[in-house]
Amino acid sequence: MSVTLHFNRSVVTKFVLSMTLPELNELPVNQLKEALSTCCGSTVWVNEMARLFPIESRESLFEQSEMIWFALDERDWREAFDHHPKIGDVNALREKFASTAAWVEGEQSGVSGASTSVLEMLAEGNELYEEKFGYIFIVCATGKSAEDMLEILEARLLNSPDEEIQIAMQEQHKITKIRLEKLLIA
């Protein structure tokens, strides 16, 4: 379930990225919240989800996750967005997001073979997006190439702030669901 690592007198708990539902149900609350936070960075979502445990089934877990997510407000969604590296930002992925780096690398694998020009356009688009909307570009990157994500980014830059927050929130929900699936092994 988890491994405790000792570094210079500090103790860090690092989760094995998959566990069974019974193992998740048995985690102490602080470890449960830490595991859930690898799926979604909203504190309110994590706390609300943690209150449901022990949970009966995977289906119930996914249903409750969705209900809680869609009941949150924009502040909570934005907090969750802050827990993602920018699409194509490999340095941020390695440094700031080490706890979910393996998942994110897989999710953003379409960026790995991208040309320098596409990566530069993604970086420029990310900057324009953040300036316009006040948060990073959120897209469920699983199965998408860098070119696909760039096309989506460019199209979404045309949205109004009200339209875009709804789209970004839906994309975060997709990411959370995928990560919950990765967290739980059958």
Side-chain angles (χ1 to χ4, degrees):
M1 290 187 337
S2 66
V3 178
T4 303
L5 306 170
H6 299 273
F7 296 104
N8 299 331
R9 298 184 187 170
S10 65
V11 176
V12 176
T13 301
K14 182 174 182 169
F15 285 91
V16 173
L17 293 180
S18 295
M19 62 187 76
T20 64
L21 183 59
E23 289 171 333
L24 188 63
N25 279 332
E26 292 173 10
L27 288 177
V29 174
N30 63 331
Q31 289 183 357
L32 173 63
K33 288 181 178 183
E34 190 174 335
L36 291 170
S37 72
T38 65
C39 300
C40 179
S42 163
T43 304
V44 174
W45 181 87
V46 168
N47 289 336
E48 291 296 316
M49 287 294 294
R51 287 188 191 129
L52 301 173
F53 281 81
I55 215 157
E56 288 183 27
S57 67
R58 292 172 59 92
E59 294 76 21
S60 179
L61 178 70
F62 293 118
E63 287 170 12
Q64 293 300 317
S65 169
E66 185 172 316
M67 287 177 36
I68 291 168
W69 179 250
F70 287 108
L72 299 178
D73 63 29
E74 184 174 331
R75 181 181 60 246
D76 301 315
W77 299 335
R78 286 175 176 252
E79 180 187 15
F81 304 164
D82 287 342
H83 289 262
H84 293 278
K86 292 178 184 175
I87 295 294
D89 188 346
V90 178
N91 292 330
L93 173 65
R94 288 190 184 121
E95 294 169 17
K96 184 177 177 188
F97 302 96
S99 66
T100 58
W103 287 351
V104 176
E105 282 180 15
E107 293 162 2
Q108 289 196 28
S109 64
V111 174
S112 63
S115 69
T116 302
S117 65
V118 169
L119 291 175
E120 288 171 355
M121 288 188 286
L122 273 171
E124 182 181 318
N126 278 326
E127 190 174 313
L128 292 171
Y129 184 98
E130 199 164 355
E131 285 173 15
K132 180 173 182 178
F133 299 113
Y135 50 88
I136 69 163
F137 171 61
I138 296 292
V139 64
C140 182
T142 301
K144 293 178 180 67
S145 69
E147 292 81 6
D148 293 338
M149 289 182 273
L150 179 60
E151 185 177 314
I152 293 165
L153 172 58
E154 289 171 342
R156 285 177 47 192
L157 278 166
L158 302 175
N159 292 334
S160 72
D162 290 338
E163 291 171 315
E164 188 54 31
I165 192 66
Q166 293 299 312
I167 294 168
M169 176 268 293
Q170 292 280 349
E171 292 296 302
Q172 173 63 52
H173 173 63
K174 292 176 194 175
I175 295 165
T176 300
K177 185 172 187 242
I178 288 169
R179 289 183 176 184
L180 278 171
E181 289 169 351
K182 289 177 182 179
L183 179 65
L184 292 178
I185 54 177

